[in-house]
Amino acid sequence: MSAIDWKNLPFGYFKTDYNVRAYWKDGKWSPLEVTDSEYINMHMAATCLHYGQEAFEGMKAFTGVDGKIRIFRLDENCKRLNNSCIGLIMPEISQEMFREAVLKVVSLNKKYIPPYGEGASLYIRPLLIGTGAEVGVRPAREYMFLIFVGPVGPYFKEGFNPVKMQIVRDYDRAAPLGTGHIKVGGNYAASLRAGVRAHDEGFASCIFLDAKEKKYIDEAGPANFFGIKGNTYVTPKSHSILPSITNMSLRTLAEELGMKVDVRPVPVEELAEFEEVGACGTAAVISPICSIYDRDSDKVYQYCKEGKAGEMSLKLYTMLRDIQDGKAPDKYGWITFVE
Ligand code: PLP
Ligand code: COI
């Protein structure tokens, strides 16, 4: 294996040595299987291919300042995967099986975990897909659970440098009572057109509004949105937002800093009142936003003095990253060590 250029890794697919898999058949999961194949041999009528019966997750493993490997909040990812399974009528996975699979695939690919201080991490991608053959629209009778991993750099190429985003009204990623609150492939397929156009127009991502009234902020592409107003951390509440584990963690850290946390619908006009705004998620961590362009009104909301992230965003980012890197104590029990 040639040396990996850790500092310049994109957020992309990177071939590693092994992935782990389990199969659901006759009402139960098989034992975990380890494979070095990057491919899946699947029936052409599998429900994941035709009817989008699939869910996924995203987590990260970090090499800490002490050289130990830490995974962030994996039990929360397991809970969310199970919510996605309930949403699409797929079999759930026990915490034990999820943990075993994550720890195994990370241990087997240890040489791909970026060293401390390179600004990179090992991305962990679980998938659960309907593999049984059906042509009628109904849940499959067979499923596959799979986890692959790969070293990644920042999701937005700017890293912690502020990004520009645009508000869209002519596309929705999720319907009001649809599947926005779970992590299923269909939401991402629905977001592609708006996302590609935002990139083509020079923005890191688009901001989706609530699909019903187009009055409130939903999500910042593949990340949650937050704003800082005085001593308050504000983040949108909506059924079509994916409950972000990063956002949940930032709310805890904001409270630790003595901030008020406000989870409620956030009207677009309120963008003019925030001192700082950002996007947060596993892949994005915190991406401070320096400007938001409203495609319809031509209005631009500006943040970030001298192009730098605001003070509270930087504080929250540092607190979160320090826990992930083992530089701050894990007082909330968010870390799982990999032997
Ligand atoms: N929103 C969407 C649509 C996402 O895809 C993600 C990524 O997982 C997030 C938010 C952030 O969630 P988390 O912090 O759990 O990664
Ligand atoms: C994540 O943040 O883990 C995501 O899944 C976002 C994206 C790459 C879909």
Side-chain angles (χ1 to χ4, degrees):
M1 180 175 109
S2 57
I4 300 173
D5 183 5
W6 304 112
K7 280 210 158 40
N8 293 305
L9 282 170
F11 185 88
Y13 180 74
F14 193 111
K15 182 179 179 338
T16 59
D17 294 342
Y18 301 104
N19 58 86
V20 296
R21 303 173 182 196
Y23 304 89
W24 173 270
K25 204 175 169 183
D26 300 327
K28 58 177 189 303
W29 286 109
S30 72
L32 276 184
E33 177 185 276
V34 174
T35 171
D36 60 4
S37 171
E38 292 173 276
Y39 294 91
I40 299 173
N41 190 8
M42 192 165 30
H43 196 287
M44 62 187 174
T47 59
C48 66
L49 298 177
H50 299 253
Y51 303 127
Q53 208 190 12
E54 88 87 40
F56 70 101
E57 271 304 325
M59 276 166 286
K60 280 178 174 170
F62 304 86
T63 306
V65 65
D66 52 5
K68 292 186 182 159
I69 312 299
R70 289 172 172 79
I71 303 175
F72 191 67
R73 304 201 78 170
L74 75 84
D75 291 335
E76 288 299 329
N77 286 88
C78 179
K79 275 192 222 162
R80 193 170 62 189
L81 179 62
N82 283 333
N83 280 338
S84 302
C85 289
I86 293 167
L88 299 192
I89 317 188
M90 305 199 288
E92 293 172 52
I93 294 251
S94 68
Q95 290 268 3
E96 295 72 40
M97 179 176 161
F98 188 82
R99 248 172 191 273
E100 184 195 343
V102 171
L103 293 175
K104 186 171 259 178
V105 70
V106 173
S107 298
L108 287 168
N109 292 295
K110 260 194 183 147
K111 64 179 188 241
Y112 297 99
I113 308 175
Y116 172 75
E118 299 281 6
S121 55
L122 188 79
Y123 190 68
I124 304 167
R125 171 53 64 85
L127 291 177
L128 204 152
I129 60 178
T131 50
E134 298 290 345
V135 176
V137 181
R138 64 169 68 92
R141 277 164 275 206
E142 291 177 19
Y143 294 85
M144 180 188 208
F145 172 60
L146 177 153
I147 310 184
F148 69 83
V149 297
V152 294
Y155 187 76
F156 295 118
K157 65 179 184 334
E158 291 85 350
F160 190 65
N161 292 322
V163 297
K164 295 197 300 178
M165 297 213 174
Q166 71 171 198
I167 295 172
V168 296
R169 286 186 185 74
D170 52 348
Y171 293 109
D172 296 313
R173 71 176 279 283
L177 296 177
T179 54
H181 63 298
I182 53 179
K183 202 162 168 66
V184 302
N187 299 335
Y188 298 81
S191 77
L192 285 174
R193 275 208 160 270
V196 167
R197 184 179 64 186
H199 277 142
D200 290 348
E201 293 181 358
F203 298 88
S205 179
C206 54
I207 293 182
F208 291 103
L209 303 184
D210 75 285
K212 197 171 176 184
E213 294 185 88
K214 308 279 179 195
K215 267 172 72 174
Y216 303 100
I217 295 175
D218 250 12
E219 294 218 62
N224 276 185
F225 175 89
F226 69 88
I228 309 278
K229 197 193 269 186
N231 197 36
T232 307
Y233 177 98
V234 184
T235 193
K237 185 184 171 91
S238 150
H239 180 72
S240 48
I241 292 180
L242 186 77
S244 154
I245 295 159
T246 312
N247 193 354
M248 195 198 306
S249 311
L250 292 175
R251 297 202 296 266
T252 301
L253 297 176
E255 276 170 357
E256 186 180 321
L257 282 176
M259 297 176 79
K260 188 169 170 278
V261 171
D262 223 354
V263 184
R264 55 162 170 81
V266 177
V268 175
E269 310 81 66
E270 197 176 349
L271 285 175
E273 296 170 25
F274 293 119
E275 286 113 44
E276 301 176 32
V277 296
C280 63
T282 297
V285 193
I286 285 185
S287 252
I289 300 174
C290 58
S291 72
I292 299 177
Y293 173 61
D294 188 326
R295 284 187 102 254
D296 298 290
S297 67
D298 241 4
K299 197 173 161 92
V300 181
Y301 300 89
Q302 296 277 4
Y303 309 92
C304 303
K305 293 188 192 83
E306 290 146 22
K308 290 216 179 69
E311 185 193 338
M312 297 318 289
S313 303
L314 178 60
K315 241 184 211 169
L316 290 166
Y317 174 84
T318 308
M319 283 172 89
L320 178 73
R321 292 289 300 109
D322 280 358
I323 296 171
Q324 294 171 332
D325 282 347
K327 287 158 87 179
D330 174 28
K331 49 178 157 175
Y332 303 107
W334 290 345
I335 298 297
T336 301
F337 288 96
V338 182
E339 294 311 321

